[in-house]
Amino acid sequence: MNAPIRRLAVVVAAMFAALLISTTYIQFFQADTLREMAGNRRTLLDQYGRDRGAILVDGTPIAESEPTDDDLRWIRTYSQGQLYAHVTGYYSFTYGAGLGLERSENALLSGSADSLFYRRLPDLVTGREPTGATLEITIDPRVQRAAAQALGDRRGAVVALDPRTGAILAMVSHPTYDPNTLSSHNLSAVQQSYETLNEDASRPLVNRAIAGDLYPPGSVFKLVVAAAALESNEFNPDSELPSPLRYTLPGTSTSIPNFGGSSCSGGETTSLFDSVRVSCNTSFAWLAGELGADQLNAQAEAFGFGQPLQVPLPVTPSRYPVDADDAQVGLTGIGQYDVRVTPLQVAMIAASIANDGVLMQPHLVDTVRDKDLDPIDTTSAQELSTPISVTTAQELTDMMVAVVDAGSGGAAALPGIQVAGKTGTAEFGTTGAAHAWFTGFAPADNPTIAVAVLVESATADWTGETGGVVAAPIARAVLEAGVNP
Amino acid sequence: MSTITTFRPRTGRTTELVLVLFAIAIVLLAYVNVALAIQGEVPPNLMLHGGLLLAFTVGFHLVLRWKARYADPLLLPITTLLNGLGLVMILRLDYAAGRDVGSLVASRQLMWSALGITLAAVVLFVVRDHRVLRRYTYIAMVAGFVLLLLPMLPLIGHEENGSRLWIRLGGFSFQPGEVAKIALTVFFAGYLVATRDALSLVGRRFLGLQLPRGRDLGPLLAAWGLSVLILVAQRDLGSSLLFFGLFVAMLYVATERVSWIIIGLLLFSAGAVLAWRLFGHVQTRVNLWLDPFDPSASSDQVAKGLMGMGHGGLFGTGLGEGYPHLTYFANSDYIFASFAEELGLVGVFAMLLLYALLVERGLRTAIGAREGFGKLLATGLAFSIGLQVFVVVGGLTRVIPLTGLTTPFLSAGGSSLIANWIIVALLLRISDHARRPVGERVELEGQGASAVVGEAR
């Protein structure tokens, strides 16, 4: 009977060989496919189950992971969810790391970034769970709160920068949402709020400050035109520009009026200085034509138009139209036609004027720290470009101070502090509805904060809400919080 | 010129002791590992549990020294290691399920392990020579059938997850099929030894095959009928496959006739096709086997197990660091997938090799056995372990459709554990007999003795 037993032993060996092959196939060759399979809870749990780093504002966590007893092991909580929603984004088991820093800095927060590799080595040896890095961000909580409160229930966005470093001091977009509803472990509730947020016509998930629809800048774009004029050396603040009651766009029979149909200076011409101060439309339309599309485009690009930017949240590039004919170039002079900007871009224009013509790279992350709070990486202030000279910057500052002191931006004035600013009222569509803008900085002689405020038109037609009426008071509140530490 | 020297052949007992201690060390390391990973502390009962494991396995080793000193020295260490790792994984899944100390499956499993080892020792005391079992061939047959059919009885029979395999007495449920496996192996061995000549020599040749006589086909048809009966009545694909495969293998070893295997495979195929045509649950299993990720599939059981194994990858997540509890039946039918997830491919290779070694040592024992009954019994017992591992792991890894059997020594469940320890005890008894030098051979009175003389080859 030994021969058949030996043969049976061979059969058994073959059976086990089959098992070795099948386990090898599954655990080695098929493993990656299996991991990436839709609905593989293990992969999700693995990513979610990590002690994710916190996001700190002035030492206080606005996003942090707290241990739980359930399968997910950690729950992400946002202590001031509504206020910081567009900064943090959300971290959801079902929908992953979405929007904001949660998404842009996912690698650091989750601890999988290459820059953390050497710090992870001891974890590998000790078998400790890898932990994510903590982000200290540049937001000033008082400025952020002031901006959110001043904006109130209106749709719009506020961005504040430190012009000297490019640090983002406030980033508010309204309507907002509560990221806690997406990071909850009640998965069906999460799904429901995600769907509700996505279907909401007011689009609360969109960060209007940097990545919403691009807006027509209206008169705040006059800063770019004025800068181009001064940089061309053909104009100075005292240059007299034609400022008729109506300006006929070249090559057309269409004419544009001044705001309210009034004359800019009472005469046929207005100085460049006063054109900015009273936000004269006809003189700027003429000026744009004089400078030409190329020069305006070059100036706009020097301020950052057309450049994709990561702060590290991706910023939609603003744009100056390249294909404009003469009439359209005239319109761009007053920030109409196809000029489109983000509020951050407008703040960057104000910030470079405030910073003696040097544009600093806007950034949101100040210091990256490991779990033991040792700094891994600190963002140092970086120059992005020098769009204008010191002289031009000073001349523009003087004009903007006049806007607040004796022009269209009086509502932004602060007692005892000189504020520089520019209003904007950007019409869109054909019904005359307009977005209200204000951008500026303070104190004018030694700026520590630059701001851009956008308030979306609440109605489809004109209700008289100019930048000076609606946006300037909001800017005032933000600047006040920023200059009074 | 040669000189005749007499020497005591090695018993291997010291090797066995060292390996058993080594196995326990591995198990305790795994235990500490799990507790550290999940609870963050060294298990408070480490000394107690480690001491229990040590006391029972070393105690069993001492029984071997006393009652079966020539037994194969590898069987006990391998089973100790597998049983211990099973305990650790079951405890790990207890933690994951948030079970408290009172309802821990692992503590019950520890109790079953102790009982299993004790019963294995009792077997070594009671069965002084395995050949006495031959006397009980037909009693074993009756016992096997009765045990198999017990779950069909009203009142004590009990259905779980669609299979009627359990009986419930008092607070305990028991799967009599596991013990029936041993009884039927004894019956097959005894029956085949008695009838092998008739089965192998008589018959006509057809197409180069020696065909058996019609009346000799009887036992094969009976085994086939029995397995179909189990399949139909208890919805237990695994057991019917196991019984029939076991019988065919033993029949082949007894008769050395390939024709029996071919006839057996034909019968099996017929039964399988018939079952597939007739029963919805068989079709479900086949569909899940062909496409476990089919979104319209009735169950994602196979898919979840595969994802767990894939998650483990080459080196595994580490004990306590994976999510084996996301798989259904993680501590019973799918315990092998739980190991695959946390120990990785490297870990399950080691475990499969342990099983392979266990089976091959059993078959080695069969070759060494000096008479037909011992050979057949050892073959049957060893092969049943191998076949069971193949059916379970092959089911998880899609070599064959998933049927659902316990993984020997690993799965939570007392009946399986006890049955497998008894199987090991019987293999130890046969191997002791096979390896014992002639000078020390103590023959039993009566019929056993003549059987030895007559059949040693």
Side-chain angles (χ1 to χ4, degrees):
Chain A
M1 275 191 264
N2 285 347
I5 294 174
R6 287 205 174 85
R7 271 178 233 127
L8 192 65
V10 173
V11 171
V12 170
M15 278 167 19
F16 276 94
L19 297 183
L20 294 180
I21 291 168
S22 66
T23 46
T24 306
Y25 179 70
I26 292 167
Q27 298 200 260
F28 186 74
F29 294 103
Q30 220 187 358
D32 285 337
T33 321
L34 285 168
R35 278 189 206 112
E36 283 154 20
M37 218 143 211
N40 188 340
R41 271 175 73 88
R42 284 179 174 84
T43 307
L44 287 170
L45 284 169
D46 233 20
Q47 288 161 359
Y48 204 85
R50 276 199 198 137
D51 184 5
R52 194 172 170 85
I55 301 176
L56 305 181
V57 165
D58 202 19
T60 309
I62 55 168
E64 64 184 321
S65 292
E66 286 166 9
T68 61
D69 290 334
D70 59 30
D71 250 359
L72 302 180
R73 286 151 79 182
W74 300 93
I75 188 165
R76 195 73 166 161
T77 56
Y78 302 88
S79 55
Q80 303 166 76
Q82 302 256 2
L83 180 59
Y84 289 104
H86 293 104
V87 173
T88 56
Y90 58 84
Y91 190 65
S92 157
F93 177 66
T94 319
Y95 302 100
L99 306 173
L101 288 167
E102 295 282 24
R103 179 179 193 141
S104 307
E105 297 292 60
N106 187 31
L108 282 172
L109 289 168
S110 70
S112 61
D114 290 341
S115 59
L116 298 175
F117 179 75
Y118 290 105
R119 288 165 198 276
R120 283 208 314 265
L121 280 181
D123 294 348
L124 283 178
V125 176
T126 58
R128 220 168 47 149
E129 289 267 316
T131 49
T134 297
L135 302 182
E136 255 178 57
I137 62 171
T138 56
I139 297 285
D140 180 329
R142 293 180 321 113
V143 179
Q144 177 83 4
R145 195 165 295 117
Q149 274 170 7
L151 187 60
D153 280 340
R154 311 203 59 150
R155 289 186 199 176
V158 178
V159 181
L161 297 170
D162 183 334
R164 299 162 297 183
T165 60
I168 296 174
L169 302 175
M171 183 189 278
V172 169
S173 174
H174 196 84
T176 182
Y177 64 99
D178 185 357
N180 288 305
T181 63
L182 296 174
S183 67
S184 152
H185 287 188
N186 179 345
L187 299 184
S188 60
V190 166
Q191 190 181 352
Q192 192 161 15
S193 51
Y194 183 79
E195 281 164 8
T196 309
L197 287 170
N198 261 305
E199 286 158 14
D200 192 330
S202 70
R203 298 191 298 157
L205 290 174
V206 168
N207 184 353
R208 292 167 156 80
I210 56 170
D213 293 336
L214 292 172
Y215 300 93
S219 298
V220 295
F221 191 70
K222 287 171 182 162
L223 293 173
V224 178
V225 181
L230 294 169
E231 287 290 296
S232 73
N233 288 326
E234 291 166 30
F235 298 89
N236 61 53
D238 298 327
S239 303
E240 289 291 324
L241 316 174
S243 57
L245 280 176
R246 294 188 81 86
Y247 172 73
T248 305
L249 293 167
T252 69
S253 55
T254 311
S255 68
I256 54 167
N258 276 318
F259 182 71
S262 60
S263 154
C264 290
S265 64
E268 284 299 300
T269 62
T270 305
S271 69
L272 177 57
F273 187 95
D274 282 337
S275 291
V276 172
R277 182 175 64 82
V278 300
S279 203
C280 186
N281 281 347
T282 51
S283 59
F284 265 98
W286 175 85
L287 182 58
E290 281 297 296
L291 294 167
D294 289 347
Q295 212 161 329
L296 289 176
N297 187 35
Q299 186 64 58
E301 279 183 356
F303 278 118
F305 279 59
Q307 280 181 40
L309 207 59
Q310 317 280 334
V311 294
L313 319 189
V315 182
T316 313
S318 302
R319 61 170 191 260
Y320 180 84
V322 286
D323 55 346
D325 60 25
D326 289 350
Q328 288 160 343
V329 170
L331 279 174
T332 65
I334 57 170
Q336 299 289 160
Y337 183 53
D338 267 351
V339 188
R340 292 290 182 273
V341 295
T342 58
L344 176 68
Q345 175 62 65
V346 173
M348 284 161 68
I349 296 169
S352 28
I353 297 170
N355 194 38
D356 290 334
V358 178
L359 173 57
M360 304 303 289
Q361 163 96 42
H363 61 270
L364 197 49
V365 178
D366 184 63
T367 311
V368 182
R369 296 181 185 273
D370 68 13
K371 210 57 197 172
D372 308 321
L373 296 183
D374 293 332
I376 296 169
D377 188 24
T378 304
T379 311
S380 48
Q382 258 188 329
E383 287 183 19
L384 198 63
S385 64
T386 308
I388 48 175
S389 67
V390 180
T391 320
T392 303
Q394 191 52 56
E395 288 166 349
L396 285 170
T397 302
D398 292 343
M399 296 176 195
M400 289 170 75
V401 168
V403 167
V404 175
D405 283 351
S408 57
L414 286 171
I417 294 162
Q418 223 170 30
V419 175
K422 181 73 197 83
T423 58
T425 308
E427 289 182 29
F428 61 93
T430 51
T431 56
H435 298 314
W437 281 99
F438 188 92
T439 185
F441 50 87
D445 53 347
N446 182 25
T448 55
I449 177 170
V451 70
V453 175
L454 161 79
V455 179
E456 283 184 20
S457 169
T459 55
D461 51 5
W462 174 248
T463 52
E465 296 189 318
T466 61
V469 172
V470 180
I474 297 170
R476 177 187 184 278
V478 175
L479 293 173
E480 184 176 28
V483 294
N484 289 321
Chain B
M1 288 295 285
S2 66
T3 40
I4 296 167
T5 49
T6 54
F7 61 96
R8 281 179 73 94
R10 286 188 187 164
T11 61
R13 291 275 76 79
T14 308
T15 313
E16 178 181 80
L17 180 62
V18 170
L19 288 177
V20 164
L21 293 177
F22 189 53
I24 289 175
I26 294 174
V27 170
L28 293 184
L29 200 67
Y31 183 25
V32 171
N33 194 338
V34 159
L36 279 180
I38 299 180
Q39 305 285 75
E41 56 180 21
V42 173
N45 293 328
L46 180 65
M47 288 311 195
L48 174 68
H49 292 160
L52 276 176
L53 206 57
L54 201 66
F56 275 91
T57 46
V58 173
F60 189 66
H61 160 77
L62 293 176
V63 170
L64 286 179
R65 271 188 192 268
W66 183 21
K67 287 289 168 189
R69 42 199 299 254
Y70 291 100
D72 189 302
L74 286 183
L75 297 180
L76 179 61
I78 292 173
T79 45
T80 300
L81 184 51
L82 289 171
N83 192 159
L85 288 177
L87 279 167
V88 169
M89 181 54 79
I90 291 164
L91 181 73
R92 184 253 175 279
L93 290 163
D94 280 340
Y95 282 148
R99 281 186 269 265
D100 54 29
V101 180
S103 64
L104 284 180
V105 182
S107 53
R108 246 179 296 157
Q109 184 81 349
L110 188 61
M111 186 201 78
W112 286 118
S113 308
L115 192 59
I117 295 172
T118 310
L119 284 176
V122 169
V123 166
L124 285 172
F125 275 104
V126 174
V127 185
R128 305 284 287 280
D129 187 316
H130 61 272
R131 288 166 299 178
V132 298
L133 292 174
R134 202 181 154 179
R135 292 180 200 157
Y136 306 113
T137 298
Y138 292 96
I139 293 174
M141 176 191 78
V142 174
F145 281 104
V146 168
L147 283 169
L148 269 181
L149 297 176
L150 269 182
M152 302 311 300
L153 292 179
L155 294 177
I156 58 169
H158 176 62
E159 184 169 320
E160 257 177 54
N161 307 314
S163 296
R164 198 176 175 93
L165 304 177
W166 284 265
I167 56 168
R168 202 173 250 179
L169 278 177
F172 286 101
S173 64
F174 196 80
Q175 209 174 331
E178 294 282 354
V179 183
K181 187 168 65 182
I182 304 172
L184 288 177
T185 310
V186 171
F187 159 61
F188 290 160
Y191 173 80
L192 290 170
V193 160
T195 54
R196 51 191 289 250
D197 289 343
L199 291 171
S200 62
L201 299 178
V202 192
R204 281 172 303 175
R205 290 189 72 81
F206 178 71
L207 291 176
L209 277 181
Q210 183 90 32
L211 288 186
R213 289 185 305 188
R215 64 178 175 210
D216 292 334
L217 267 174
L220 187 61
L221 290 173
W224 182 72
L226 178 66
S227 55
V228 171
L229 185 69
I230 298 169
L231 176 66
V232 177
Q234 303 182 350
R235 305 190 140 214
D236 185 7
L237 289 165
S239 295
S240 55
L241 182 59
L242 183 67
F243 287 130
F244 193 64
L246 180 61
F247 183 70
V248 171
M250 288 176 74
L251 190 59
Y252 165 68
V253 170
T255 60
E256 308 192 20
R257 301 300 275 272
V258 182
S259 55
W260 285 111
I261 294 182
I262 291 169
I263 295 165
L265 284 178
L266 287 175
L267 275 174
F268 173 79
S269 312
V273 169
L274 207 66
W276 178 72
R277 295 282 295 268
L278 291 180
F279 306 119
H281 66 281
V282 178
Q283 282 167 22
T284 308
R285 295 294 176 99
V286 171
N287 292 341
L288 275 181
W289 173 51
L290 295 175
D291 186 5
F293 298 105
D294 179 2
S296 66
S298 58
S299 159
D300 57 352
Q301 184 180 3
V302 181
K304 284 197 164 167
L306 288 174
M307 283 177 180
M309 296 185 75
H311 189 72
L314 202 51
F315 297 107
T317 58
L319 279 171
E321 313 272 352
Y323 309 94
H325 47 286
L326 293 184
T327 308
Y328 308 111
F329 310 114
N331 69 7
S332 54
D333 287 18
Y334 262 87
I335 197 164
F336 189 82
S338 302
F339 277 106
E341 178 168 354
E342 299 211 319
L343 296 182
L345 184 59
V346 175
V348 296
F349 256 49
M351 296 181 83
L352 285 175
L353 290 180
L354 283 178
Y355 277 121
L357 199 57
L358 187 64
V359 178
E360 297 293 341
R361 290 308 287 192
L363 294 175
R364 177 76 237 160
T365 297
I367 287 171
R370 295 188 177 93
E371 34 54 69
F373 178 73
K375 278 181 186 299
L376 273 175
L377 187 58
T379 304
L381 294 173
F383 187 70
S384 73
I385 294 177
L387 187 58
Q388 190 156 348
V389 171
F390 177 75
V391 168
V392 177
V393 180
L396 307 188
T397 58
R398 291 181 66 214
V399 177
I400 58 169
L402 183 69
T403 52
L405 277 178
T406 56
T407 315
F409 299 106
L410 295 179
S411 291
S415 18
S416 164
L417 204 51
I418 286 175
N420 283 305
W421 271 107
I422 292 175
I423 287 175
V424 166
L426 290 175
L427 282 175
L428 284 166
R429 171 50 75 215
I430 301 168
S431 70
D432 172 54
H433 193 271
R435 297 170 81 239
R436 191 179 301 171
V438 181
E440 289 194 37
R441 213 170 288 169
V442 183
E443 303 298 354
L444 278 192
E445 307 288 317
Q447 71 188 114
S450 59
V452 176
V453 176
E455 298 194 54
R457 330 177 155 196

